Amino acid sequence: MGRAVELRTPSHVPMVLTLGVACQIGQVVYLRELLMVFHGNELSLGVILAAWMVWVAVGSRLGAALLQRRDDALGWLRSGAAAVALLLPATVLAIRLLPGAFDVPPGALLSLADMALSSVVVLAPTTALLGAQFVFLARLWRERDQSVDASGAAKTYVGEALGNVVGGLLFTLVLVHHLDAFQASLLAGTAMLVLTLRLGQPRRALLAAGVGLALLPLLPQVEWWSAQLQWQLRAPDYELITTHRSRYGTIAVLRRFDQYSFFQSGHLVFSTGGVTETGVGLEELEGVAFAHVALTQHRDPRQVLLIGGGLRGTLREMLRHGVRAIDYVELDPVLVEAASPYLPAGTRAALADPRVRLIHADGRLLVKGGGPPYDLIVVDAPDPTTAVLNRYYTEEFFAEAKARLRPDGVLVLGAMSTPDLRGSAVANRNAAIYHTLRRVFPEVLPVGERYLFFFASKGEGQLSADAATVMRRFVEREVDAAGFSAGHLALLFEPGPLQRINWILRHHGRSPRAHLEPPMAAPLLPGTIEQLRVEEALLPPVHERFFVNSDFRPVVYYHTLLFWTGLTRGDEASVLRWIGRVQWWWVLPPLVLTILVGLALRIAVPTRRDAAPRFAVLTAVFTTGLSTMALQIALLFAFQSIYGFVFEMVGLIVAIFMAGLALGSALTHRFVPDPADRRLLTAVQGLVALVAVGIGGALPWAGGLEGAAEVFVLFASLTFVAGLLNGVDFPLATACYLALERRPERATAAVYGVELVGACCGAALASVAVAPVLGIVACCLLAAFANGTAFIVLLVGGARPLPESVVPVGGYV
């Protein structure tokens, strides 16, 4: 009998591993592709992962139902693998066609509802099939072991996790550098299909491998065609000229008449008039103005650090002020390489100027790492519509920049605005930038109307709000700038508008409901800037939650999303506005209700002795999924804020998490004699709650680390621990539930599905509602509260095991 089973269901460890590889590569490819469609908005991370989890959960239930209809796990597995191999690359194409499904103006941000609907629809076929594959493989493993317990599911869980690790490492270290999205997804799907057919149908396996390898070199044409179609849907008036793969995101070069625009990961980085532009084109006017306004705020700028913006003309204009040296930081060398053939001659000459040192590094980490002091640090970045851009508007960055300035040094940055700060969202965002700067610098001066400059000086008396002073500096330096003159400075520093803007920013944000209300109108005669500085000291304190931006509470990012969504989509911003009302105590009612339900089942349902334990075990499964994803979102957001490379490193980060998960499952299988003992499951829930609190305490401390290697090692360790605990929990919960359900496939599907639904809720809550408003540490506390609740429910209704007669014979193998 044992030999017959061996022949009918041959060794399928490679199939389990390739399921994990395909899942991981597919997930990372889809994340990267969807982030491009969603303009890099990290709020979508939780939405995408939630959609992935919920469909995998649905697929696991579907797999169990199919096995009940026809008990042929291997046949279902082969059919599913063939479908996945086709759907993995087809879904990439579907994602690229998404812009055509929404009637939005070019450049407009998709709303949360748009992102959720897109993710749920486009991911459904592939992820549901992957969830069903897990159940089929668990069944095969159980048949091979001739067991009646949950060991097949536990072993499949470990094997899939190891495959996830391999897939994450393979994508991050190899595939992302050499293959496009279609090639990577086809390769993963073909490998899974070939290994599924390998034993039993070797000819079909060879045929599948041959077809996959034959299609691989043809896919770059599909990549180019789909990229053209995607940009035609997104920006119909532009022509796609070329694309470049980069570790930081795909770079696209588009042309409209004589204008060239450069996008990275869906974001507009800058535009130029092309190589034939001899003067200052319309595309460079903003960069020109930014450079001259910034440089005239310092008496004698010699050493300058420019972070971003150099390719749009800012660098060229700075050199006209007689500076001795400019360190120009541009993260991505591929962007400079891609842009060089289309840059005006003046910009190319500036890059070759001996006074310019081009540095390819992360500007935040460069500032943090120490080095020579600067007279001027200029951040020429787009509006902080993503968490990675928000890093240059936080209290932590301002403190790091202050440490790199000379005693008379000045920090300059800017953001979009409206005249007199009309609109609550833009007023909230710009007031938050102002108040955050004031937490660090003794003197801060905002200047502008439609674009707001923020000047912050290390010492008092360094900044000038006097038009005559900045005009004199411009003239004395004999700056010959096409498209800009001293008259522009006179308009910018006109006393009336300047005083009104300063009055509004200094007064706004000082009440608990300020973020929900428009700013007060400035009085007719607000007073001089000096008078406003004196009056500011007498005002009530700032409401920090919504008006002090930090790495771990990115409120400027939240306000910016609300501003741009309201500007381009109108009523679509209502969900974001609602998120601004979220309070920390909202989590308590559902947690208390869960405890009460567990207690009621224990007391009020005496005829069902297993009702309370079932509820308790499934609660533990749900909360572990929720807390694991909440912790993973917290770690991803924190890693993005400090390290800045989530787009590049997401595959590696998830691989580290899955490595911890695989080890936790393996250790449980190897060393726990009775995993069906619910007392052990109870103890694990308490441990997860304590670890979540510990991670929440460690993250702010991590922000103080200077070296990139130290930061990565710490985050890798925390991610590994989070995965380890989740890996311990799954086999325990499966064994405990099987002791109550006694039908292995139903128990596996139930536990796997409930955990994924919990993970879906955790991803959505943490990324959309908790991290942007309550902060990243609050995500860790959410995880702690959730597992603490499961701990109590297990103590109340499920910690004591049932009589031995109820437990399936054979226990846990």
Side-chain angles (χ1 to χ4, degrees):
M1 179 66 182
R3 181 172 179 76
V5 171
E6 180 68 24
L7 290 173
R8 185 167 57 85
T9 57
S11 175
H12 58 280
V13 172
M15 292 186 284
V16 176
L17 290 173
T18 53
L19 172 65
V21 170
C23 283
Q24 189 58 50
I25 291 176
Q27 188 180 80
V28 176
V29 167
Y30 294 167
L31 275 171
R32 289 167 64 97
E33 291 291 324
L34 284 168
L35 277 171
M36 287 186 62
V37 175
F38 300 156
H39 297 272
N41 183 353
E42 289 93 349
L43 294 189
S44 67
L45 280 174
V47 174
I48 297 166
L49 291 173
W52 179 283
M53 299 296 176
V54 75
W55 280 117
V56 172
V58 170
S60 68
R61 299 294 291 182
L62 174 65
L66 290 174
L67 285 174
Q68 284 188 327
R69 175 170 295 187
R70 178 163 63 89
D71 191 9
D72 182 13
L74 189 56
W76 286 119
L77 189 69
R78 287 169 176 164
S79 301
V84 168
L86 295 172
L87 284 170
L88 277 171
T91 302
V92 175
L93 178 60
I95 292 172
R96 296 193 176 181
L97 297 178
L98 277 175
F102 299 98
D103 184 19
V104 298
L109 301 181
L110 292 180
S111 69
L112 284 173
D114 293 337
M115 291 189 290
L117 178 62
S118 302
S119 302
V120 167
V121 171
V122 79
L123 297 181
T126 308
T127 49
L129 281 172
L130 290 171
Q133 295 291 90
F134 177 88
V135 177
F136 302 150
L137 286 166
R139 173 61 175 270
L140 283 176
W141 209 317
R142 186 174 69 82
E143 288 181 350
R144 186 183 182 211
D145 291 347
Q146 299 183 2
S147 65
V148 294
D149 57 17
S151 59
K155 294 174 182 177
T156 304
Y157 195 68
V158 174
E160 185 192 17
L162 289 173
N164 287 143
V165 175
V166 174
L169 293 174
L170 184 64
F171 183 86
T172 303
L173 302 178
V174 180
L175 299 185
V176 73
H177 300 290
H178 302 288
L179 300 182
D180 60 45
F182 287 99
Q183 290 175 316
S185 55
L186 177 67
L187 187 64
T190 301
M192 186 172 72
L193 177 59
V194 169
L195 288 175
T196 303
L197 298 172
R198 178 178 61 94
L199 296 176
Q201 297 182 345
R203 291 184 178 178
R204 291 187 178 182
L206 287 174
L207 178 62
V211 171
L213 291 174
L215 289 175
L216 209 59
L218 303 178
L219 289 180
Q221 286 75 23
V222 178
E223 166 77 18
W224 172 246
W225 169 79
S226 65
Q228 287 181 305
L229 185 58
Q230 182 182 36
W231 283 104
Q232 187 177 12
L233 293 170
R234 290 184 60 172
D237 294 332
Y238 286 78
E239 175 193 1
L240 180 64
I241 300 301
T242 185
T243 61
H244 297 263
R245 282 200 306 273
S246 165
R247 57 193 290 199
Y248 305 111
T250 302
I251 296 167
V253 182
L254 283 82
R255 180 176 62 196
R256 184 173 186 266
F257 303 119
D258 294 330
Q259 181 191 70
Y260 290 86
S261 297
F262 301 85
F263 291 80
Q264 187 164 35
S265 300
H267 277 283
L268 175 63
V269 182
F270 69 99
S271 297
T272 76
V275 293
T276 59
E277 184 65 66
T278 56
V280 175
L282 291 173
E283 301 83 6
E284 293 187 320
L285 286 179
E286 288 185 357
V288 170
F290 191 94
H292 295 303
V293 174
L295 269 291
T296 53
Q297 266 304 313
H298 195 281
R299 294 185 178 93
D300 185 22
R302 298 304 180 101
Q303 296 287 136
V304 179
L305 173 64
L306 172 62
I307 299 175
L311 301 180
R312 68 170 186 149
T314 309
L315 177 64
R316 180 191 65 223
E317 300 302 312
M318 283 183 167
L319 291 170
R320 300 185 191 278
H321 285 256
V323 297
R324 290 179 180 172
I326 298 179
D327 286 346
Y328 168 38
V329 181
E330 189 63 66
L331 174 64
D332 195 348
V334 178
L335 176 63
V336 178
E337 179 185 343
S340 292
Y342 311 100
L343 294 175
T347 301
R348 294 200 305 272
L351 287 171
D353 193 293
R355 293 173 292 172
V356 174
R357 182 170 65 134
L358 178 59
I359 303 172
H360 293 301
D362 179 75
R364 174 75 186 268
L365 295 180
L366 184 139
V367 170
K368 187 177 184 177
Y374 295 98
D375 299 305
L376 206 64
I377 295 179
V378 180
V379 179
D380 189 7
D383 258 23
T385 53
T386 67
V388 74
L389 292 172
N390 184 76
R391 301 164 66 232
Y392 295 100
Y393 296 82
T394 65
E395 182 178 0
E396 292 86 350
F397 172 69
F398 294 156
E400 293 158 4
K402 182 181 179 182
R404 294 295 302 274
L405 287 171
R406 289 196 167 100
D408 61 346
V410 176
L411 170 68
V412 184
L413 61 147
M416 296 298 294
S417 189
T418 58
D420 290 337
L421 292 170
R422 298 190 190 106
S424 59
V426 71
N428 290 341
R429 195 276 304 280
N430 290 340
I433 295 175
Y434 173 80
H435 292 308
T436 306
L437 281 166
R438 284 288 289 122
R439 293 275 294 239
V440 178
F441 290 92
E443 190 174 0
V444 177
L445 177 66
V447 177
E449 284 195 328
R450 296 188 182 278
Y451 187 86
L452 200 57
F453 295 90
F454 291 91
F455 306 107
S457 64
K458 191 170 182 177
E460 294 186 3
Q462 301 298 324
L463 303 179
S464 177
D466 178 46
T469 300
V470 294
M471 291 169 66
R472 184 178 66 253
R473 292 173 183 171
F474 185 84
V475 172
E476 287 176 351
R477 294 171 190 172
E478 300 181 348
V479 176
D480 181 15
F484 193 88
S485 67
H488 289 88
L489 292 169
L491 289 174
L492 190 65
F493 285 85
E494 187 179 347
L498 179 63
Q499 293 167 7
R500 286 197 300 272
I501 289 294
N502 274 264
W503 189 95
I504 293 170
L505 290 178
R506 293 164 196 262
H507 283 76
H508 190 51
R510 298 182 182 273
S511 69
R513 291 184 57 83
H515 66 288
L516 302 174
E517 302 167 349
M520 293 185 294
L524 185 61
L525 298 173
T528 66
I529 297 299
E530 188 56 40
Q531 289 171 335
L532 292 177
R533 287 173 181 161
V534 174
E535 292 173 4
E536 185 178 8
L538 305 176
L539 295 174
V542 173
H543 183 53
E544 293 189 11
R545 177 177 161 191
F546 283 99
F547 291 96
V548 174
N549 189 44
S550 72
D551 287 339
F552 297 96
R553 191 173 58 240
V555 294
V556 162
Y557 169 38
Y558 165 72
H559 292 317
T560 304
L561 287 179
L562 189 55
F563 167 52
W564 278 104
T565 304
L567 191 67
T568 58
R569 302 295 305 280
D571 292 340
E572 297 291 340
S574 58
V575 175
L576 283 171
R577 291 193 187 94
W578 180 86
I579 291 171
R581 301 176 183 273
V582 170
Q583 302 292 328
W584 69 267
W585 55 265
W586 287 9
V587 71
L588 297 180
L591 298 182
V592 172
L593 179 62
T594 302
I595 295 172
L596 293 176
V597 170
L599 184 61
L601 289 174
R602 177 67 181 271
I603 297 172
V605 193
T607 57
R608 285 289 306 274
R609 297 181 57 206
D610 64 341
R614 280 174 182 264
F615 179 78
V617 171
L618 290 180
T619 297
V621 172
F622 178 87
T623 57
T624 299
L626 185 151
S627 62
T628 300
M629 283 309 303
L631 288 174
Q632 197 166 1
I633 291 294
L635 289 166
L636 282 172
F637 265 73
F639 187 83
Q640 179 84 307
S641 295
I642 299 172
Y643 201 80
F645 300 149
V646 160
F647 192 90
E648 174 200 4
M649 305 291 285
V650 64
L652 182 58
I653 293 170
V654 178
I656 292 169
F657 173 83
M658 299 308 297
L661 186 146
L663 179 61
S665 296
L667 291 175
T668 303
H669 175 68
R670 177 69 177 83
F671 294 107
V672 177
D674 182 16
D677 187 346
R678 292 191 297 277
R679 290 170 295 191
L680 183 57
L681 182 63
T682 305
V684 170
Q685 304 310 304
L687 179 61
V688 172
L690 293 175
V691 169
V693 173
I695 292 176
L699 289 181
W701 175 78
L705 296 177
E706 293 186 358
E710 294 174 331
V711 173
F712 181 78
V713 169
L714 176 64
F715 275 90
S717 302
L718 295 177
T719 302
F720 184 83
V721 169
L724 180 73
L725 291 174
N726 185 259
V728 169
D729 186 84
F730 182 81
L732 294 179
T734 304
C736 290
Y737 195 72
L738 180 58
L740 302 165
E741 171 61 43
R742 306 214 294 183
R743 285 176 289 184
E745 275 67 54
R746 286 180 62 89
T748 299
V751 172
Y752 193 54
V754 169
E755 183 189 45
L756 289 170
V757 171
C760 167
C761 295
L765 285 173
S767 68
V768 174
V770 179
V773 175
L774 299 178
I776 295 172
V777 173
C779 295
C780 302
L781 297 181
L782 172 65
F785 283 141
N787 275 98
T789 300
F791 176 78
I792 295 172
V793 171
L794 280 165
L795 284 179
V796 168
R800 289 183 298 176
L802 293 174
E804 188 174 337
S805 59
V806 181
V807 180
V809 177
Y812 179 83
V813 180

